Amino acid sequence: MRVLGLDPGLRRTGWGVIDAEGTRLVHVANGVITSDDKAELADRLVQLHRGIEAVIAAQEPDEAAVEVSLANKNPASTLKLGMARGIALLTPALAGLLVGEYLPMIVKKSVVGTGHATKEQVQMMVQRLLPGCEIKNADSADALALAICHAHNRETDRKWTRGGEDPLQMALAGRRRR
């Protein structure tokens, strides 16, 4: 499965693509889509849409993951970020991709092991989980972390739907034996 992670932003939208086969993860590509901050809002959204479309066309992902944005102190910034997030959700959906959404805390917990990890910790773990990966910047590192989180969640879903053993039940059974 090839996963596209998107870290939405109006100025910069980070993207990262990984291949996941079971628990094996391989870095494919990462980068940033930028919009012209001097352009009108509608034009900037079109730039983001076209940039994401180009990444999808070039990388041919099977699924996508987008970060859930939390509210800022500035309502205008929050609204603009929400619009960029809408483009990040809409574009892969229009391409026929399944799109997962993840809170930043869930992504950090999935990749680092704690929901309150720093950006530096996330970048370090992304590089460990994807050996040889050259991260373009913090936005693309976050996008790769989203892709990793999605791959882990989808693999767990697959195991459960195939009738694999429920890890929670296995853990409880192990405790009872002690």
Side-chain angles (χ1 to χ4, degrees):
M1 170 178 64
R2 181 163 282 189
V3 181
L4 167 64
L6 293 168
D7 180 31
L10 185 57
R11 186 174 297 140
R12 289 182 311 274
T13 292
W15 63 271
V17 179
I18 64 167
D19 283 337
E21 188 174 320
T23 58
R24 184 170 184 252
L25 304 174
V26 177
H27 172 260
V28 176
N30 70 88
V32 177
I33 300 160
T34 58
S35 70
D36 178 2
D37 59 355
K38 291 179 178 59
E40 295 294 321
L41 178 61
D43 294 330
R44 294 178 74 184
L45 295 173
V46 169
Q47 291 169 359
L48 293 178
H49 172 70
R50 288 185 179 149
I52 296 169
E53 272 185 328
V55 170
I56 291 170
Q59 302 300 328
E60 299 179 343
D62 300 307
E63 299 184 8
V66 177
E67 186 172 78
V68 173
S69 304
L70 302 175
N72 281 322
K73 291 178 185 174
N74 181 338
S77 295
T78 301
L79 186 58
K80 289 176 183 176
L81 178 58
M83 290 179 203
R85 187 173 175 280
I87 296 298
L89 289 166
L90 176 69
T91 306
L94 285 173
L97 303 180
L98 172 86
V99 182
E101 299 177 72
Y102 300 93
L103 287 165
M105 217 166 143
I106 299 301
V107 175
K108 290 174 182 180
K109 188 160 182 84
S110 177
V111 174
V112 179
T114 177
H116 299 287
T118 64
K119 284 204 174 275
E120 294 78 22
Q121 289 172 312
V122 171
Q123 286 183 21
M124 182 204 55
M125 284 306 296
V126 166
Q127 288 181 313
R128 288 226 172 135
L129 292 169
L130 303 171
C133 169
E134 289 186 31
I135 298 172
K136 305 291 185 213
N137 64 24
D139 297 311
S140 58
D142 288 348
L144 287 166
L146 276 154
I148 292 167
C149 176
H150 183 76
H152 288 181
N153 279 285
R154 294 293 288 155
E155 181 60 21
T156 300
D157 288 347
R158 274 192 199 83
K159 285 180 181 176
W160 284 24
T161 57
R162 280 188 299 207
E165 291 189 38
D166 181 342
L168 181 58
Q169 292 301 322
M170 290 171 53
L172 291 173
R175 283 190 186 162
R176 285 188 208 125
R177 281 187 238 139
R178 291 183 190 161

